[in-house]
Amino acid sequence: MIAPAPIIAPSILAADFAHLADDIARVSDADWLHIDVMDGHFVPNLSFGLPVMEAVAKVTDKPLDVHLMIERPELWVDGYVGAGAKTVIFHVEATEEPIALAKHLRAEGCRAGFSLRPSTPIEPYLSMLPHFDQVLVMSVEPGFGGQSFMPDQLEKVRTLRKYIDNNHLPVTIEIDGGIGAETIAQAAEAGCDAFVAGSAVYKAADPNAMVTQLRDLAAAAR
Ligand code: DX5
Ligand code: ZN
């Protein structure tokens, strides 16, 4: 079987917020757009919330990959689903009822994803994977763009890859944090399907060319 092409998801956290529509147009070759929502509580930073998500949804047809770095995500997910999220990812550290929330998202027609902080082990969560469409492995401490990639998190990716393949689960493994031309190959080799890149894409002179370069590097490494 030929593996599907790697998914590249630029994070608009690294875009120019005063010219968001222009910066979204500059990544027209991206597969998804990654939307980093931070509440200043779950993470020590605030980014943006639903009004910005709604505005973004109006100017793009790209699937929106929504990463909720917020406490009590169950109170907020409906807004993001209503705004057209393709996938909503919440943190397992932020909710008591991850499976109930995943079921709710799926019932609403949205893909369900969970994420974990670098210090959170994956093993206790493997058995809930049948309820999910995606796992987002954090390769930096959530809260800020532009941090250095943590290679030790690839062990989590390998564990997930093995479990997902052995159980024939249709779950996408995505990685987030410090992904760029120097780091994407090792993440792809470990078994990631989807790659978030903020700084690497938006600091590039040609963001679209960087998207293509990242996809090619990931495809070659798998
Ligand atoms: C971090 C966010 C990431 C971040 C990635 O909390 O979840 O999506 O924006 O940015 P880079 O690619 O710059 O590490
Ligand atoms: Zn993110």
Side-chain angles (χ1 to χ4, degrees):
M1 201 182 86
I2 301 167
I7 292 162
I8 305 298
S11 170
I12 61 163
L13 187 64
D16 178 350
F17 289 172
H19 301 96
L20 252 190
D22 294 341
D23 267 7
I24 288 167
R26 291 169 79 208
V27 293
S28 56
D29 292 335
D31 301 283
W32 298 345
L33 282 182
H34 187 77
I35 310 292
D36 282 309
V37 177
M38 305 179 185
D39 67 353
H41 292 274
F42 180 72
V43 289
N45 193 16
L46 266 173
S47 58
F48 50 75
L50 192 52
V52 171
M53 161 79 184
E54 288 169 338
V56 166
K58 283 191 192 134
V59 299
T60 184
D61 294 330
K62 298 283 178 208
L64 300 178
D65 185 49
V66 178
H67 180 191
L68 298 179
M69 286 163 275
I70 64 176
E71 281 173 7
R72 305 209 51 200
E74 58 278 3
L75 300 181
W76 302 97
V77 291
D78 287 347
Y80 293 89
V81 174
K86 166 94 172 172
T87 308
V88 168
I89 302 153
F90 57 85
H91 272 260
V92 289
E93 303 91 349
T95 182
E96 300 282 317
E97 308 243 30
I99 294 176
L101 190 48
K103 284 183 177 165
H104 175 72
L105 286 167
R106 283 178 157 184
E108 296 296 313
C110 186
R111 296 176 77 249
F114 74 84
S115 185
L116 7 78
R117 296 183 193 278
S119 58
T120 303
I122 187 65
E123 286 77 7
Y125 301 104
L126 291 172
S127 64
M128 67 180 197
L129 282 171
H131 298 284
F132 284 86
D133 303 289
Q134 190 162 316
V135 180
L136 179 66
V137 174
M138 291 307 303
S139 42
V140 298
E141 204 55 59
F144 299 90
Q147 304 180 77
S148 298
F149 180 71
M150 299 166 73
D152 58 327
Q153 295 304 308
L154 293 179
E155 210 37 54
K156 234 176 244 180
V157 173
R158 289 187 196 97
T159 302
L160 277 163
R161 183 80 273 156
K162 207 184 283 174
Y163 189 92
I164 287 167
D165 289 352
N166 287 346
N167 293 284
H168 309 289
L169 297 171
V171 178
T172 303
I173 305 176
E174 185 175 41
I175 192 154
D176 185 7
I179 292 292
E182 293 75 35
T183 52
I184 196 165
Q186 41 183 313
E189 207 176 348
C192 293
D193 308 295
F195 306 83
V196 176
S199 321
V201 166
Y202 279 109
K203 286 220 167 94
D206 182 345
N208 248 342
M210 179 55 70
V211 166
T212 301
Q213 187 189 342
L214 291 174
R215 195 186 290 108
D216 290 349
L217 287 166
R222 291 206 297 193

